[in-house]
Amino acid sequence: MGEVMLTAAGLYVIVLLRAGGTYAVGRLAHAGAQRSRFAERMAAPRFQRVERAIQRWGAPVVAVSFLTVGFQTAANFLAGTMRMPLPRYLPALFLGGAAWALVYATVGVGALKVLGKLFSENTALAVGLVAALLLLAAGFVVHRRRNAARATDEP
């Protein structure tokens, strides 16, 4: 159990630095955009309404984004670009980051232990499973690309 908690603590530090850094880059991007040709668009009433909504209601989205794959970076960057106030952002970061760290520490460490045991006890089976997963992933990608190509070819 100590191993999982130590891993979770390390992952928590990593996620706080990564997500907090992404938020900070978003804040910097907003400041840069204010000095660019986009400043006029950012002053539009519609943009201002969206910005206020994200500032007010975006914290739950940020917190939940840590339980998704591929959305957390976008959510943190958007929170920064839309200038979500730190008193709203930081609790979402701390809670969502803790959930992320615990999930990855328990599930991730457990999966690595199982894979390590599988590779050490039956290397051929493990290599076969990895190869099968890679083939399955490649087949999925080919299938998606063919469907996308068909959709663009249809009139």
Side-chain angles (χ1 to χ4, degrees), residues 76-88:
N76 285 283
F77 184 77
L78 185 61
T81 58
M82 294 292 153
R83 300 179 306 162
M84 182 184 295
L86 279 175
R88 291 187 187 268

Side-chain angles (χ1 to χ4, degrees), residues 115-133:
L115 285 175
K117 188 172 183 174
L118 181 63
F119 269 99
S120 68
E121 292 178 6
N122 195 341
T123 306
L125 176 62
V127 169
L129 284 174
V130 169
L133 286 173

Side-chain angles (χ1 to χ4, degrees), residues 16-109:
L16 291 179
L17 292 173
R18 181 179 56 86
T22 303
Y23 172 84
V25 168
R27 294 287 291 223
L28 291 171
H30 179 86
Q34 290 284 54
R35 295 184 199 98
S36 72
R37 61 184 173 159
F38 297 110
E40 186 178 306
R41 289 183 186 162
M42 293 170 68
R46 185 175 184 189
F47 187 90
Q48 295 296 316
R49 280 193 308 274
V50 170
E51 187 174 65
R52 282 191 304 276
I54 289 174
Q55 289 173 355
R56 184 169 183 187
W57 302 106
V61 173
V62 169
V64 171
S65 75
F66 286 95
L67 301 177
T68 67
V69 176
F71 180 62
Q72 35 182 293
T73 301
N76 285 283
F77 184 77
L78 185 61
T81 58
M82 294 292 153
R83 300 179 306 162
M84 182 184 295
L86 279 175
R88 291 187 187 268
Y89 175 74
L90 289 177
L93 172 65
F94 293 146
L95 290 173
W100 178 88
L102 288 173
V103 166
Y104 274 82
T106 54
V107 175
V109 168

